[in-house]
């Protein structure tokens, strides 16, 4: 593909045309659109949502998206996708869970066939909840496009096939608004209803997907931080218009609807949008541009300080799902246990690792792997990390965490875990062992500081 150009900004009202003069000048839906295009609106919120929350875009296309045969259930193999979580299809467990990196399939597998649900909560039918998926793929999508009618997709690519010192293109994602190149270390958000196709220029790919029902991602409020910091709006990139006008017999639209997959045939590409304008649009973000804030004197900041995007609930400060990262940064806190502290949380935390290591897990948590610590389940640094940290003592100087990028999907809802994830050969059944070696360092001291007892 050609080098891509993007439009910069988060939440902007954009406009783009691949063919000059294709956007109507003074209205959205004239009797005859320029270049005899069809006008079509895609709405991400209800028509009557408040103006500051209202999301919609106008697409000017060669043929409207309604021009297809009826949808039919997709019968290709067993589906491992869910969007409604209950006792019949998933399990609740408070146990700390961890999975090793999943192998790339040996048989030809595209993004759709390589997508499977790990856990989630709520229901897409009730428009409240989330699902966490993973994908492995080794071939590009051919003459087909995918979309989720259930919710927004936040895609986190983790692996291409090139060496670490080479640039990995990762995924080429073609959308109705244009094309996105999304490399490992970047993310893409594909809003509910948008059709897209995933190509793999580097070969096999693996990654994570968070899907949210009934709301959309937005930038978190900054509070006392002030006007700047964390993810800057200008670093989010939306595509520019690009279109495919070729005849495509047998083109397949695969739609995720209520967690099930349906297909419809048409004879043209859905990426026939010559021009568009609006604020409902796919976008990408480079995680290396995140500006972290951190402790500058003592104690360890809560992980919420690293929130890139949030999907809020009606309750202030409580997220349906936060996307949090743990990027390279300096640790300078004095007289402080610097790794994440041991804790139990009313939120549930699903973690993944894009590259490098994670500061709280010296062993076992690998790039492409994942872990789940559910509501009020205790977790924290493993034995090796704890012992190494306290051995440095209070004289440890500033230390830079580098060559790493971990992330967390955090939700106020309690996730249920899919049976295939619990039965996966990649489940790390020895995960609990990483804490078993933690021993008592308790010392009873008198008022003068003399040691009176040492219990192990």
């Amino acid at each position: 593909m050609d080098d891509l150009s993007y439009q910069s900004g988060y939440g902007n009202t954009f406009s783009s045309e691949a063919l000059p003069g294709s956007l109507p000048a003074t209205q959205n839906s004239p009797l005859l659109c320029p270049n005899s295009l069809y006008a079509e609106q895609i709405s991400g919120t209800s028509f009557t949502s408040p103006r500051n929350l209202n999301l919609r875009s106008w697409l000017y296309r060669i043929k409207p998206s309604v021009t297809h045969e009826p949808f039919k259930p997709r019968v290709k193999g067993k589906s491992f996708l869910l969007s409604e979580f209950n006792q019949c299809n998933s399990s609740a467990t408070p146990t700390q869970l961890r999975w090793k990196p999943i192998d790339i399939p040996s048989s030809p597998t595209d993004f759709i066939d390589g997508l499977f649900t790990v856990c989630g909560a709520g229901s897409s039918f009730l428009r409240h909840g989330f699902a966490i998926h993973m994908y492995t793929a080794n071939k590009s999508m051919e003459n087909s496009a995918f979309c989720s009618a259930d919710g927004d997709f936040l895609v986190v690519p983790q692996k291409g096939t090139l060496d670490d010192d080479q640039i990995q293109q990762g995924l080429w994602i073609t959308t109705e608004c244009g094309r996105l190149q999304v490399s490992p270390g970047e993310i893409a958000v594909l809003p509910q209803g948008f059709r897209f196709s995933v190509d793999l220029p580097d070969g096999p790919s693996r990654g994570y997907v968070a899907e949210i029902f009934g709301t959309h991602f937005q930038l978190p409020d900054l509070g006392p931080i002030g006007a700047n910091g964390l993810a800057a709006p200008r670093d989010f990139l939306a595509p520019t218009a690009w279109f495919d006008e070729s005849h495509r017999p047998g083109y397949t639209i695969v739609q995720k609807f209520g967690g099930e997959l349906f297909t419809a045939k048409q004879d043209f590409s859905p990426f026939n949008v010559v021009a568009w304008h609006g604020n409902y649009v796919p976008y990408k973000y480079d995680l290396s541009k995140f500006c972290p804030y951190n402790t500058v004197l003592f104690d360890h900041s809560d992980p919420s300080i690293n929130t890139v995007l949030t999907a809020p609930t009606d309750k202030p400060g409580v997220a349906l799902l936060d996307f949090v990262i743990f990027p390279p940064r300096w640790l300078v806190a004095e007289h402080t246990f610097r790794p994440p502290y041991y804790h139990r949380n009313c939120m549930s935390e699903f973690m993944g690792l894009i590259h490098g290591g994670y500061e709280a897990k010296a062993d076992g948590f690998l790039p492409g792997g994942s872990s789940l610590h559910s509501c009020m389940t205790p977790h924290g640094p493993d034995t090796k990390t704890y012992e190494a940290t306290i051995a440095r003592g209070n004289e440890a100087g500033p230390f830079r965490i580098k060559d790493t990028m971990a992330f967390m999907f955090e939700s106020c809802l309690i996730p249920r875990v899919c049976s295939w994830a619990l039965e996966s050969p990649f489940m790390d059944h020895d995960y609990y062992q990483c804490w078993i070696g933690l021993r008592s360092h308790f010392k009873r001291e008198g008022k003068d500081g003399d040691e009176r007892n040492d219990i192990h």
Side-chain angles (χ1 to χ4, degrees):
M1 292 186 180
D2 301 328
D3 290 337
L4 302 184
S5 59
Y6 297 100
Q7 302 178 87
S8 168
Y10 192 91
N12 295 19
T13 295
F14 296 105
S15 63
S16 182
E17 49 186 7
L19 189 63
S22 297
L23 280 172
T26 60
Q27 64 182 112
N28 293 321
S29 184
L31 178 63
L32 291 176
C33 293
N35 298 321
S36 298
L37 297 171
Y38 287 88
E40 180 179 296
Q41 182 177 252
I42 180 168
S43 298
T45 55
S46 65
F47 296 143
T48 53
S49 291
R51 181 182 287 266
N52 65 318
L53 301 176
N54 207 299
L55 299 173
R56 67 91 177 94
S57 287
W58 281 90
L59 313 180
Y60 299 92
R61 53 198 323 152
I62 296 169
K63 291 181 72 173
S65 58
V66 71
T67 313
H68 61 77
E69 298 175 4
F71 280 102
K72 299 177 181 179
R74 189 172 189 253
V75 294
K76 185 177 180 179
K78 180 182 178 182
S79 175
F80 292 94
L81 293 173
L82 290 180
S83 70
E84 186 170 24
F85 298 86
N86 54 54
Q87 291 178 325
C88 297
N89 59 23
S90 52
S91 301
T93 174
T95 299
Q96 302 96 336
L97 302 177
R98 184 162 73 183
W99 291 269
K100 301 171 185 177
I102 298 167
D103 291 341
I104 300 294
S106 56
S107 59
T109 304
D110 64 14
F111 178 83
I112 302 173
D113 291 326
L115 190 66
F116 64 94
T117 308
V118 177
C119 62
S123 168
S124 64
F125 293 95
L126 300 179
R127 311 310 302 136
H128 182 66
F130 73 94
I132 294 173
H133 316 290
M134 292 194 70
Y135 73 87
T136 56
N138 58 17
K139 62 171 286 190
S140 299
M141 292 171 58
E142 298 175 355
N143 214 42
S144 63
F146 179 77
C147 85
S148 174
D150 294 334
D152 288 8
F153 267 32
L154 190 161
V155 182
V156 186
Q158 183 272 320
K159 180 179 175 59
T161 59
L162 301 182
D163 295 333
D164 290 340
D165 59 351
Q166 294 180 276
I167 296 175
Q168 297 187 42
Q169 292 183 329
L171 308 177
W172 283 91
I173 303 177
T174 303
T175 78
E176 293 172 273
C177 289
R179 299 171 296 174
L180 300 169
Q181 178 185 325
V182 188
S183 301
E186 297 181 316
I187 62 169
V189 173
L190 305 164
Q192 176 191 9
F194 270 98
R195 295 172 177 178
F196 63 91
S197 184
V198 176
D199 291 301
L200 308 177
D202 295 338
S205 179
R206 174 175 61 203
Y208 313 82
V209 178
E211 184 179 17
I212 52 172
F213 313 138
T215 187
H216 299 286
F217 288 105
Q218 64 185 52
L219 291 175
D221 291 331
L222 294 178
I225 291 176
N228 305 292
L230 307 188
R234 69 174 182 171
D235 292 326
F236 289 82
L237 301 178
T240 53
W242 175 89
F243 66 96
D244 177 6
E245 60 181 322
S246 62
H247 184 59
R248 293 288 195 93
Y251 197 100
T252 303
I253 304 297
V254 181
Q255 182 146 316
K256 180 175 175 289
F257 184 85
E260 300 179 42
L261 296 183
F262 297 82
T263 62
K265 298 288 187 179
Q266 57 188 49
D267 61 3
F268 62 97
S269 167
F271 311 120
N272 65 349
V273 178
V274 180
W276 61 270
H277 75 86
N279 62 351
Y280 192 50
V281 58
Y283 56 88
K284 75 168 198 169
Y285 175 73
D286 182 347
L287 299 178
S288 69
K289 296 182 181 298
F290 187 81
C291 179
Y293 278 63
N294 210 344
T295 299
V296 295
L297 189 58
F298 64 89
D299 283 351
H300 183 97
S301 299
D302 294 331
S304 50
I305 200 70
N306 290 321
T307 302
V308 179
L309 292 169
T310 184
T313 64
D314 293 335
K315 191 173 182 179
V318 178
L320 174 67
L321 192 126
D322 282 333
F323 175 60
V324 179
I325 65 171
F326 303 95
R329 62 202 183 279
W330 282 95
L331 300 183
V332 300
E334 302 173 359
H335 309 289
T336 293
F337 184 78
R338 291 176 176 175
Y341 43 80
Y342 295 100
H343 67 291
R344 290 174 291 167
N345 192 353
C346 63
M347 306 286 276
S348 294
E349 303 174 0
F350 179 95
M351 284 199 64
L353 184 59
I354 300 171
H355 66 84
Y358 175 55
E359 61 186 300
K361 296 292 187 296
D363 294 312
F365 190 45
L366 303 174
S370 55
S371 67
L372 176 63
H373 303 140
S374 290
C375 170
M376 290 304 173
T377 292
H379 55 284
D382 59 19
T383 303
K384 188 173 180 179
T385 300
Y386 181 85
E387 294 293 344
T389 300
I390 63 172
R392 297 188 189 103
N394 279 324
E395 302 308 314
F399 175 76
R400 189 174 191 271
I401 297 178
K402 59 183 180 179
D403 301 325
T404 181
M405 185 61 75
F407 73 88
M408 179 169 67
F409 298 138
E410 185 177 63
S411 176
C412 66
L413 303 184
I414 298 176
R416 302 182 67 89
V417 186
C418 298
S419 58
W420 46 84
L422 291 173
E423 298 164 3
S424 169
F426 301 100
M427 171 70 77
D428 184 355
H429 295 285
D430 295 326
Y431 182 29
Y432 73 97
Q433 294 280 1
C434 78
W435 295 291
I436 293 299
L438 289 167
R439 62 188 180 89
S440 171
H441 292 269
F442 176 63
K443 295 179 180 179
R444 188 184 300 274
E445 297 180 350
K447 293 182 179 180
D448 57 0
D450 292 337
E451 183 178 325
R452 299 290 179 86
N453 194 10
D454 191 356
I455 302 174
H456 294 278

